Amino acid sequence: MLPREWIDEMRALLGGELEAFLQAEEEPPALAMRINPLRPGAMSAAKGFVGDRVPWAEGAFYLQENARPGASLAHDLGAFYLQEASAMVSARVLDAQPGERVLDLCAAPGGKSTQIAGAMRGRGALVCNEPVPSRSKILAENLERMGVVNAAATCAYPNQLSEKWPEFFDAVLVDAPCSGEGMFRRDPSARDEWNPGAPAGCAKRQAEILDEAAKMVRAGGRLVYS
């Protein structure tokens, strides 16, 4: 059940569109995958699972109904990464290029990092950071599974990185920790974990992270906040 306080907030924001929005929250999530350009033959390995293309991400497809690609050997070998289609937008906007220095500041579990790595085609340097050790381990495992050879997984707080790498990166992605409202549709347990104070607390933390991220972007570089 959706939190009552959250519904009241959405009503104030959406007005007459609230009912359509709440109805969408109860529909099944649109699951998708990205084909890994770093693994030769990946598209052939995934063809039995894919449906329509995701229009805003290269090599991305919605899944066929009842497909279970996560249980396949192709998934374990890094032929593709399972990811919500909406989560592919920010890395596409970042537009990482081969040869650049790129930072994914809040990177675990690695969906956006591996998307960035695919765009870089093994050229340049990609730093993927996650301050929580257990999540950083998962991040490193996904980078390895997807065959990323030009990336380093770090485990540090943003201010520690900004002290070492001022104005160093061509592009920085900040997919900041959030209140989890975007998970209401996919993971019902996220509804129970939400509380009215979460958005304000997350906003404060996100602002602090964004300030540190900005210090690491070179003059004329790109900073994407998600």
Side-chain angles (χ1 to χ4, degrees):
M1 187 173 181
L2 291 166
R4 175 52 55 187
E5 297 93 335
W6 181 79
I7 293 176
D8 291 340
E9 290 180 6
M10 293 301 105
R11 180 179 291 107
L13 289 170
L14 299 176
E17 296 180 304
L18 176 66
E19 292 307 318
F21 177 70
L22 296 181
Q23 182 178 346
E25 286 285 349
E26 301 302 332
E27 294 174 358
L31 304 177
M33 69 160 63
R34 283 184 296 100
I35 307 302
N36 185 3
L38 305 178
R39 295 293 196 200
M43 186 67 229
S44 296
K47 64 182 180 181
F49 304 117
V50 300
D52 294 336
R53 288 183 178 272
V54 175
W56 52 83
E58 182 181 357
F61 298 84
Y62 291 103
L63 299 186
Q64 294 181 11
E65 189 175 359
N66 298 322
R68 297 184 63 240
S72 69
L73 180 60
H75 174 268
D76 292 343
L77 295 176
F80 47 80
Y81 194 100
L82 301 176
Q83 187 178 25
E84 285 197 29
S86 60
M88 302 176 190
V89 174
S90 55
R92 178 66 186 87
V93 173
L94 188 71
D95 195 26
Q97 299 295 315
E100 289 189 321
R101 294 190 298 239
V102 182
L103 169 64
D104 186 358
L105 186 56
C106 312
K112 297 173 181 66
S113 288
T114 55
Q115 185 178 356
I116 293 168
M120 296 177 72
R121 297 297 197 271
R123 294 166 50 200
L126 172 60
V127 176
C128 311
N129 182 69
E130 169 56 51
V132 179
S134 60
R135 287 173 55 81
S136 182
K137 182 175 183 292
I138 295 170
L139 168 63
E141 290 171 349
N142 276 322
L143 290 170
E144 182 178 7
R145 178 175 67 85
M146 299 293 282
V148 181
V149 298
N150 62 321
T154 58
C155 183
Y157 288 103
N159 65 301
Q160 294 174 310
L161 297 182
S162 65
E163 290 174 0
K164 300 295 184 181
W165 287 322
E167 301 183 18
F168 181 79
F169 294 97
D170 298 294
V172 175
L173 174 62
V174 180
D175 184 50
C178 65
S179 62
E181 295 171 18
M183 297 290 289
F184 284 178
R185 183 178 179 187
R186 191 177 74 181
D187 182 6
S189 66
R191 305 179 182 192
D192 298 328
E193 296 169 1
W194 185 88
N195 67 80
C202 287
K204 181 178 182 298
R205 179 168 54 170
Q206 290 169 0
E208 293 168 351
I209 292 172
L210 192 57
D211 285 344
E212 299 303 325
K215 298 174 184 177
M216 291 183 274
V217 184
R218 67 163 175 82
R222 308 183 302 282
L223 172 61
V224 172
Y225 168 77
S226 169

mmCIF file of all heavy atoms in Angstrom, residues 146-176:
data_model
loop_
_atom_site.group_PDB
_atom_site.id
_atom_site.type_symbol
_atom_site.label_atom_id
_atom_site.label_comp_id
_atom_site.label_asym_id
_atom_site.label_seq_id
_atom_site.Cartn_x
_atom_site.Cartn_y
_atom_site.Cartn_z
ATOM 1 N N MET A 146 31.164 -7.661 -16.768
ATOM 2 C CA MET A 146 30.879 -7.010 -18.043
ATOM 3 C C MET A 146 32.134 -6.748 -18.874
ATOM 4 O O MET A 146 32.067 -6.123 -19.928
ATOM 5 C CB MET A 146 30.136 -5.704 -17.787
ATOM 6 C CG MET A 146 28.793 -5.872 -17.094
ATOM 7 S SD MET A 146 27.557 -6.720 -18.101
ATOM 8 C CE MET A 146 27.063 -5.393 -19.210
ATOM 9 N N GLY A 147 33.290 -7.197 -18.410
ATOM 10 C CA GLY A 147 34.496 -7.097 -19.203
ATOM 11 C C GLY A 147 35.069 -5.704 -19.324
ATOM 12 O O GLY A 147 35.733 -5.381 -20.321
ATOM 13 N N VAL A 148 34.868 -4.862 -18.315
ATOM 14 C CA VAL A 148 35.376 -3.487 -18.346
ATOM 15 C C VAL A 148 36.848 -3.512 -17.924
ATOM 16 O O VAL A 148 37.180 -3.929 -16.815
ATOM 17 C CB VAL A 148 34.565 -2.581 -17.402
ATOM 18 C CG1 VAL A 148 35.098 -1.154 -17.457
ATOM 19 C CG2 VAL A 148 33.087 -2.611 -17.783
ATOM 20 N N VAL A 149 37.726 -3.040 -18.797
ATOM 21 C CA VAL A 149 39.167 -3.123 -18.538
ATOM 22 C C VAL A 149 39.795 -1.768 -18.197
ATOM 23 O O VAL A 149 40.955 -1.726 -17.773
ATOM 24 C CB VAL A 149 39.906 -3.725 -19.750
ATOM 25 C CG1 VAL A 149 39.440 -5.147 -20.013
ATOM 26 C CG2 VAL A 149 39.714 -2.866 -20.997
ATOM 27 N N ASN A 150 39.061 -0.685 -18.384
ATOM 28 C CA ASN A 150 39.645 0.644 -18.171
ATOM 29 C C ASN A 150 39.009 1.359 -16.987
ATOM 30 O O ASN A 150 38.909 2.585 -16.970
ATOM 31 C CB ASN A 150 39.498 1.507 -19.431
ATOM 32 C CG ASN A 150 38.038 1.747 -19.814
ATOM 33 O OD1 ASN A 150 37.212 0.844 -19.699
ATOM 34 N ND2 ASN A 150 37.731 2.948 -20.267
ATOM 35 N N ALA A 151 38.552 0.592 -15.985
ATOM 36 C CA ALA A 151 37.857 1.182 -14.841
ATOM 37 C C ALA A 151 38.505 0.757 -13.527
ATOM 38 O O ALA A 151 39.084 -0.323 -13.425
ATOM 39 C CB ALA A 151 36.385 0.779 -14.834
ATOM 40 N N ALA A 152 38.370 1.626 -12.538
ATOM 41 C CA ALA A 152 38.778 1.322 -11.168
ATOM 42 C C ALA A 152 37.580 1.527 -10.261
ATOM 43 O O ALA A 152 36.895 2.549 -10.362
ATOM 44 C CB ALA A 152 39.927 2.225 -10.737
ATOM 45 N N ALA A 153 37.321 0.571 -9.382
ATOM 46 C CA ALA A 153 36.253 0.698 -8.395
ATOM 47 C C ALA A 153 36.863 1.219 -7.098
ATOM 48 O O ALA A 153 37.756 0.585 -6.525
ATOM 49 C CB ALA A 153 35.571 -0.647 -8.162
ATOM 50 N N THR A 154 36.400 2.372 -6.641
ATOM 51 C CA THR A 154 36.909 2.969 -5.414
ATOM 52 C C THR A 154 35.832 2.949 -4.341
ATOM 53 O O THR A 154 34.639 2.835 -4.629
ATOM 54 C CB THR A 154 37.374 4.415 -5.654
ATOM 55 O OG1 THR A 154 36.274 5.183 -6.166
ATOM 56 C CG2 THR A 154 38.513 4.459 -6.645
ATOM 57 N N CYS A 155 36.288 3.068 -3.091
ATOM 58 C CA CYS A 155 35.378 3.053 -1.940
ATOM 59 C C CYS A 155 35.760 4.233 -1.052
ATOM 60 O O CYS A 155 36.594 4.101 -0.147
ATOM 61 C CB CYS A 155 35.485 1.722 -1.203
ATOM 62 S SG CYS A 155 34.348 1.533 0.185
ATOM 63 N N ALA A 156 35.182 5.396 -1.330
ATOM 64 C CA ALA A 156 35.554 6.617 -0.621
ATOM 65 C C ALA A 156 34.368 7.567 -0.590
ATOM 66 O O ALA A 156 33.433 7.444 -1.384
ATOM 67 C CB ALA A 156 36.749 7.289 -1.302
ATOM 68 N N TYR A 157 34.431 8.536 0.320
ATOM 69 C CA TYR A 157 33.405 9.572 0.365
ATOM 70 C C TYR A 157 33.754 10.667 -0.642
ATOM 71 O O TYR A 157 34.938 10.874 -0.972
ATOM 72 C CB TYR A 157 33.280 10.140 1.774
ATOM 73 C CG TYR A 157 32.635 9.178 2.739
ATOM 74 C CD1 TYR A 157 33.396 8.468 3.675
ATOM 75 C CD2 TYR A 157 31.267 8.957 2.696
ATOM 76 C CE1 TYR A 157 32.800 7.569 4.541
ATOM 77 C CE2 TYR A 157 30.663 8.062 3.565
ATOM 78 C CZ TYR A 157 31.426 7.366 4.478
ATOM 79 O OH TYR A 157 30.832 6.472 5.320
ATOM 80 N N PRO A 158 32.756 11.365 -1.167
ATOM 81 C CA PRO A 158 33.016 12.362 -2.211
ATOM 82 C C PRO A 158 34.071 13.404 -1.839
ATOM 83 O O PRO A 158 34.898 13.776 -2.674
ATOM 84 C CB PRO A 158 31.646 13.004 -2.424
ATOM 85 C CG PRO A 158 30.675 11.918 -2.098
ATOM 86 C CD PRO A 158 31.299 11.184 -0.949
ATOM 87 N N ASN A 159 34.080 13.873 -0.579
ATOM 88 C CA ASN A 159 35.063 14.891 -0.204
ATOM 89 C C ASN A 159 36.487 14.340 -0.230
ATOM 90 O O ASN A 159 37.446 15.068 -0.493
ATOM 91 C CB ASN A 159 34.735 15.457 1.178
ATOM 92 C CG ASN A 159 34.858 14.423 2.282
ATOM 93 O OD1 ASN A 159 34.182 13.396 2.252
ATOM 94 N ND2 ASN A 159 35.720 14.674 3.256
ATOM 95 N N GLN A 160 36.642 13.028 0.023
ATOM 96 C CA GLN A 160 37.973 12.422 -0.057
ATOM 97 C C GLN A 160 38.473 12.405 -1.501
ATOM 98 O O GLN A 160 39.661 12.629 -1.761
ATOM 99 C CB GLN A 160 37.925 10.996 0.508
ATOM 100 C CG GLN A 160 37.636 10.937 1.998
ATOM 101 C CD GLN A 160 37.449 9.516 2.490
ATOM 102 O OE1 GLN A 160 36.685 8.736 1.924
ATOM 103 N NE2 GLN A 160 38.176 9.155 3.549
ATOM 104 N N LEU A 161 37.578 12.151 -2.431
ATOM 105 C CA LEU A 161 37.967 12.140 -3.840
ATOM 106 C C LEU A 161 38.246 13.547 -4.349
ATOM 107 O O LEU A 161 39.193 13.760 -5.112
ATOM 108 C CB LEU A 161 36.865 11.484 -4.680
ATOM 109 C CG LEU A 161 36.571 10.009 -4.394
ATOM 110 C CD1 LEU A 161 35.500 9.507 -5.350
ATOM 111 C CD2 LEU A 161 37.826 9.160 -4.527
ATOM 112 N N SER A 162 37.422 14.513 -3.951
ATOM 113 C CA SER A 162 37.611 15.883 -4.461
ATOM 114 C C SER A 162 38.919 16.494 -3.978
ATOM 115 O O SER A 162 39.490 17.357 -4.659
ATOM 116 C CB SER A 162 36.424 16.768 -4.058
ATOM 117 O OG SER A 162 36.352 16.925 -2.643
ATOM 118 N N GLU A 163 39.401 16.045 -2.824
ATOM 119 C CA GLU A 163 40.692 16.526 -2.331
ATOM 120 C C GLU A 163 41.840 16.032 -3.219
ATOM 121 O O GLU A 163 42.839 16.730 -3.398
ATOM 122 C CB GLU A 163 40.917 16.055 -0.896
ATOM 123 C CG GLU A 163 40.015 16.737 0.131
ATOM 124 C CD GLU A 163 40.179 16.141 1.516
ATOM 125 O OE1 GLU A 163 41.005 15.201 1.661
ATOM 126 O OE2 GLU A 163 39.481 16.576 2.446
ATOM 127 N N LYS A 164 41.685 14.827 -3.760
ATOM 128 C CA LYS A 164 42.745 14.215 -4.561
ATOM 129 C C LYS A 164 42.649 14.589 -6.041
ATOM 130 O O LYS A 164 43.673 14.637 -6.742
ATOM 131 C CB LYS A 164 42.681 12.689 -4.432
ATOM 132 C CG LYS A 164 42.852 12.173 -3.008
ATOM 133 C CD LYS A 164 44.240 12.480 -2.465
ATOM 134 C CE LYS A 164 44.423 11.870 -1.075
ATOM 135 N NZ LYS A 164 45.776 12.197 -0.516
ATOM 136 N N TRP A 165 41.438 14.815 -6.540
ATOM 137 C CA TRP A 165 41.238 15.003 -7.977
ATOM 138 C C TRP A 165 40.481 16.301 -8.295
ATOM 139 O O TRP A 165 39.430 16.273 -8.940
ATOM 140 C CB TRP A 165 40.468 13.811 -8.544
ATOM 141 C CG TRP A 165 41.272 12.553 -8.642
ATOM 142 C CD1 TRP A 165 42.577 12.443 -8.993
ATOM 143 C CD2 TRP A 165 40.801 11.220 -8.407
ATOM 144 N NE1 TRP A 165 42.965 11.126 -9.002
ATOM 145 C CE2 TRP A 165 41.900 10.352 -8.643
ATOM 146 C CE3 TRP A 165 39.572 10.681 -8.037
ATOM 147 C CZ2 TRP A 165 41.795 8.971 -8.506
ATOM 148 C CZ3 TRP A 165 39.473 9.308 -7.903
ATOM 149 C CH2 TRP A 165 40.571 8.462 -8.137
ATOM 150 N N PRO A 166 40.974 17.455 -7.887
ATOM 151 C CA PRO A 166 40.277 18.702 -8.236
ATOM 152 C C PRO A 166 40.372 18.978 -9.738
ATOM 153 O O PRO A 166 41.440 18.843 -10.336
ATOM 154 C CB PRO A 166 41.031 19.756 -7.422
ATOM 155 C CG PRO A 166 42.405 19.180 -7.226
ATOM 156 C CD PRO A 166 42.203 17.702 -7.097
ATOM 157 N N GLU A 167 39.227 19.313 -10.339
ATOM 158 C CA GLU A 167 39.151 19.677 -11.762
ATOM 159 C C GLU A 167 39.842 18.655 -12.656
ATOM 160 O O GLU A 167 40.509 19.000 -13.635
ATOM 161 C CB GLU A 167 39.745 21.068 -11.979
ATOM 162 C CG GLU A 167 39.036 22.151 -11.187
ATOM 163 C CD GLU A 167 39.583 23.539 -11.473
ATOM 164 O OE1 GLU A 167 40.259 23.716 -12.511
ATOM 165 O OE2 GLU A 167 39.339 24.445 -10.663
ATOM 166 N N PHE A 168 39.661 17.387 -12.350
ATOM 167 C CA PHE A 168 40.401 16.312 -13.030
ATOM 168 C C PHE A 168 39.607 15.645 -14.149
ATOM 169 O O PHE A 168 40.176 15.208 -15.153
ATOM 170 C CB PHE A 168 40.812 15.259 -11.993
ATOM 171 C CG PHE A 168 41.604 14.121 -12.543
ATOM 172 C CD1 PHE A 168 42.965 14.261 -12.814
ATOM 173 C CD2 PHE A 168 41.006 12.889 -12.787
ATOM 174 C CE1 PHE A 168 43.703 13.195 -13.325
ATOM 175 C CE2 PHE A 168 41.738 11.824 -13.301
ATOM 176 C CZ PHE A 168 43.095 11.973 -13.567
ATOM 177 N N PHE A 169 38.281 15.555 -14.014
ATOM 178 C CA PHE A 169 37.484 14.722 -14.902
ATOM 179 C C PHE A 169 36.816 15.522 -16.017
ATOM 180 O O PHE A 169 36.360 16.647 -15.815
ATOM 181 C CB PHE A 169 36.415 13.967 -14.106
ATOM 182 C CG PHE A 169 36.988 12.958 -13.155
ATOM 183 C CD1 PHE A 169 37.163 13.271 -11.813
ATOM 184 C CD2 PHE A 169 37.381 11.705 -13.596
ATOM 185 C CE1 PHE A 169 37.700 12.345 -10.928
ATOM 186 C CE2 PHE A 169 37.920 10.770 -12.722
ATOM 187 C CZ PHE A 169 38.078 11.090 -11.381
ATOM 188 N N ASP A 170 36.749 14.887 -17.191
ATOM 189 C CA ASP A 170 36.013 15.476 -18.301
ATOM 190 C C ASP A 170 34.509 15.414 -18.054
ATOM 191 O O ASP A 170 33.763 16.306 -18.491
ATOM 192 C CB ASP A 170 36.328 14.722 -19.602
ATOM 193 C CG ASP A 170 37.791 14.801 -19.974
ATOM 194 O OD1 ASP A 170 38.259 15.906 -20.277
ATOM 195 O OD2 ASP A 170 38.466 13.750 -19.943
ATOM 196 N N ALA A 171 34.056 14.362 -17.387
ATOM 197 C CA ALA A 171 32.625 14.172 -17.152
ATOM 198 C C ALA A 171 32.413 13.461 -15.820
ATOM 199 O O ALA A 171 33.149 12.520 -15.495
ATOM 200 C CB ALA A 171 32.000 13.358 -18.286
ATOM 201 N N VAL A 172 31.423 13.908 -15.068
ATOM 202 C CA VAL A 172 31.089 13.319 -13.764
ATOM 203 C C VAL A 172 29.583 13.060 -13.714
ATOM 204 O O VAL A 172 28.777 13.946 -14.031
ATOM 205 C CB VAL A 172 31.493 14.251 -12.606
ATOM 206 C CG1 VAL A 172 31.029 13.673 -11.266
ATOM 207 C CG2 VAL A 172 33.002 14.479 -12.591
ATOM 208 N N LEU A 173 29.234 11.850 -13.313
ATOM 209 C CA LEU A 173 27.831 11.490 -13.109
ATOM 210 C C LEU A 173 27.555 11.377 -11.619
ATOM 211 O O LEU A 173 28.281 10.686 -10.898
ATOM 212 C CB LEU A 173 27.511 10.159 -13.792
ATOM 213 C CG LEU A 173 26.107 9.591 -13.533
ATOM 214 C CD1 LEU A 173 25.030 10.537 -14.056
ATOM 215 C CD2 LEU A 173 25.957 8.213 -14.160
ATOM 216 N N VAL A 174 26.498 12.045 -11.159
ATOM 217 C CA VAL A 174 26.045 11.949 -9.767
ATOM 218 C C VAL A 174 24.631 11.387 -9.769
ATOM 219 O O VAL A 174 23.654 12.113 -9.971
ATOM 220 C CB VAL A 174 26.072 13.320 -9.066
ATOM 221 C CG1 VAL A 174 25.600 13.168 -7.614
ATOM 222 C CG2 VAL A 174 27.455 13.927 -9.109
ATOM 223 N N ASP A 175 24.518 10.083 -9.606
ATOM 224 C CA ASP A 175 23.214 9.442 -9.447
ATOM 225 C C ASP A 175 23.013 9.270 -7.950
ATOM 226 O O ASP A 175 23.267 8.213 -7.385
ATOM 227 C CB ASP A 175 23.186 8.104 -10.180
ATOM 228 C CG ASP A 175 21.823 7.453 -10.113
ATOM 229 O OD1 ASP A 175 20.825 8.130 -10.406
ATOM 230 O OD2 ASP A 175 21.741 6.268 -9.747
ATOM 231 N N ALA A 176 22.559 10.331 -7.313
ATOM 232 C CA ALA A 176 22.659 10.470 -5.859
ATOM 233 C C ALA A 176 21.710 9.536 -5.104
ATOM 234 O O ALA A 176 20.631 9.191 -5.601
ATOM 235 C CB ALA A 176 22.362 11.910 -5.469
#
